[in-house]
Amino acid sequence: MARYIFVTGGVVSSLGKGLSSASLAYLLQSRGYKVRLRKLDPYLNVDPGTMSPFQHGEVFVTDDGAETDLDLGHYERFSGVTAKKTDNITTGKIYSDVLRKERKGEYLGKTVQVIPHITDRIKEFIKFDTSKEDFIICEIGGIVGDIESLPFVEAIRQFSNDIGKKNALFIHLTLVPYLKASDEIKTKPTQHSVKELRSIGIQPDIIICRSERPIPLEHRKKISLFCNVDIKNVIETVDVKTIYEAPISFAREKLDVQVLDYFKIKSKKSNNLNPWKKITKITLNTKKQVNIAIIGKYVELKDAYKSLDEALTHGGITNNLKVNLVRIDSEKLKVSEIRNKLKNVSGILIPGGFGKRGTEGKIEAIKHARVNKIPFLGICYGMQMAIIEFARNKLKIKKATSSEFDKGGVHIIGLMNEWEKSGKKVKGTDKNLGGTMRLGSYDAILKDKSKIRDIYKSRLIKERHRHRYEVDISYKEKFEKNGLVFSGLSPDNKLPEIIELKNHPWFIGVQFHPEFKSRPLSPHPLFSSFIKAAKNHK
Ligand code: GLN
């Protein structure tokens, strides 16, 4: 039977619950166990797909087509386990399930209540499809004490009783601040947060204390005493220089040892930190650098392109380079400034995006990359913009555009009215914005002797999608005659998946999001190749 590890947060959010959970997953895996990670999000959106990246950071997409919290990206990158739709659940999803059942009369006349109906649904979800795992690590979003997280915290309390306390472990992550003025480390916020957790029936078994500086033994003792947790289980996590150090730092603190000890499991083997040590060393020590411009709408918020930033860093690791990201706000990018702003960059990347704002700046930047032979990678919207740029400036279709943001003009990019995947409609033009996109993993066939084929070293690839609009395949011949090749197509040859320029050192556009599949221990070949091209660019 699977053992369940619940991770809650206290004091403030953004303490790195996701990274801690992901690191623990790696450590347990490297000791020979099968681990799955799950995220329970207390907000009322059914999924984060409709949320602005400004609000919630990146929307991470799974192979099976779910739009999920960005923490699932951390989980995949650290554990290597491909996340599923059922690994992220929100209050909105739970309530919509329960309300749908209520409307069908499935509660047989009962009063439908938070306890037991909502909590039962949460518990069903936690347990769903876990019979083959050794450990399920379940992270609860937000912090303890939030009104919204209460049903989740109540559900995990009940769950631990249901399966027996020896099969469930509670980890609480809190902040132990350092006060400069008095030169002191403070344990009180942690004590209060644990008190809050205990008031709703949960006694943490392990406390992870996030701190700017090492926590002296006497403070750990204090936390142990006041929070009723064994001193061995008061674990510190001091800020690391790179996130790749996190598994190393948790191993040093013996987090995995304590977890196994709690469950009375004898470790199968020792953990292997070598891969993380290797990439930490490269990340911290490489002197050589390369500047890559990311031109997008959400550049001000760091988490908005989380997987992309990570994938570029991974590309740097393969090439033994530090990748400096030059973030340029496409809405503020004036055409007259482009040359100057892109003067010191060796690669230009246009990420995914939605809507009209900022498009003209992006198109001009693509022209700059094409004409000046600067390595260019266009992702999803970035590929669509590259198509528009080429159509306008090379094919002389001056009104070339996308129906997404221009109802007039020539729609080289447009909506497909209906999309069929294994008999199911997965894409439509209805007004309901949630789940109407081409989402998740789709196959693409790569053209012989193309650059992309050389990069992937495979004819068939599977990549994740998240978009409504497609490049109109009927223009293929016209583009190809002028030097822009459609080097990757959907297996039915109807959808352009990849474009590349012939007379250019490295100019590639992809309709999918390769960044979701890049992992620090196995960087994505497209990013490794892009960074290599940038390195070779003078
Ligand atoms: N807005 C575009 C579409 O829906 C691109 C989406 C994206 O870049 N993820 O097709």
Side-chain angles (χ1 to χ4, degrees), residues 242-295:
T242 149
I243 56 169
Y244 309 134
E245 237 183 308
I248 306 171
S249 132
F250 281 119
R252 208 182 297 127
E253 280 285 306
K254 298 198 165 43
L255 176 61
D256 52 337
V257 175
Q258 295 312 334
V259 166
L260 293 176
D261 211 40
Y262 175 88
F263 290 116
K264 301 201 175 13
I265 295 174
K266 271 223 154 55
S267 177
K268 289 186 183 167
K269 51 182 179 176
S270 55
N271 58 30
N272 174 17
L273 299 170
N274 292 339
W276 298 101
K277 283 186 180 156
K278 195 173 144 205
I279 62 170
T280 298
K281 208 165 142 194
I282 298 175
T283 316
L284 298 181
N285 297 340
T286 36
K287 297 274 175 302
K288 276 183 271 161
Q289 309 198 350
V290 69
N291 296 335
I292 303 289
I294 299 187
I295 307 176

Side-chain angles (χ1 to χ4, degrees), residues 397-437:
I397 309 173
K398 286 287 165 215
K399 288 195 169 154
T401 189
S402 164
S403 59
E404 177 173 3
F405 50 81
D406 196 347
K407 296 300 163 215
V410 182
H411 292 155
I412 305 218
I413 322 282
L415 264 187
M416 305 283 295
N417 285 338
E418 227 188 34
W419 220 262
E420 300 269 307
K421 186 193 178 192
S422 47
K424 265 197 312 220
K425 188 176 172 210
V426 295
K427 184 176 165 183
T429 51
D430 53 32
K431 290 272 181 314
N432 185 355
L433 285 184
T436 57
M437 289 192 257

Side-chain angles (χ1 to χ4, degrees), residues 82-151:
T82 304
K84 295 184 192 164
K85 220 175 225 155
T86 42
D87 292 329
N88 188 197
I89 201 88
T90 67
T91 299
K93 176 93 180 62
I94 296 281
Y95 271 82
S96 54
D97 282 5
V98 169
L99 293 178
R100 202 176 314 115
K101 264 176 92 177
E102 186 276 331
R103 289 291 82 188
K104 283 195 195 154
E106 287 181 25
Y107 292 106
L108 306 174
K110 291 206 182 86
T111 310
V112 181
Q113 293 179 298
V114 172
I115 304 172
H117 302 101
I118 295 295
T119 46
D120 277 355
R121 185 72 193 103
I122 297 172
K123 290 194 286 180
E124 273 166 35
F125 163 74
I126 293 171
K127 211 162 187 174
F128 179 76
D129 189 22
T130 55
S131 57
K132 292 193 191 77
E133 320 287 328
D134 296 312
F135 294 101
I136 311 298
I137 303 178
C138 242
E139 178 190 344
I140 321 293
I143 59 169
V144 168
D146 290 347
I147 288 181
E148 284 144 328
S149 65
L150 263 177

Side-chain angles (χ1 to χ4, degrees), residues 352-354 380-381 384 404 466-469 513:
F354 293 85
C380 203
Y381 204 57
Q384 297 176 356
E404 177 173 3
R466 181 176 183 245
H467 57 104
R468 289 191 182 83
Y469 297 82
H513 290 270

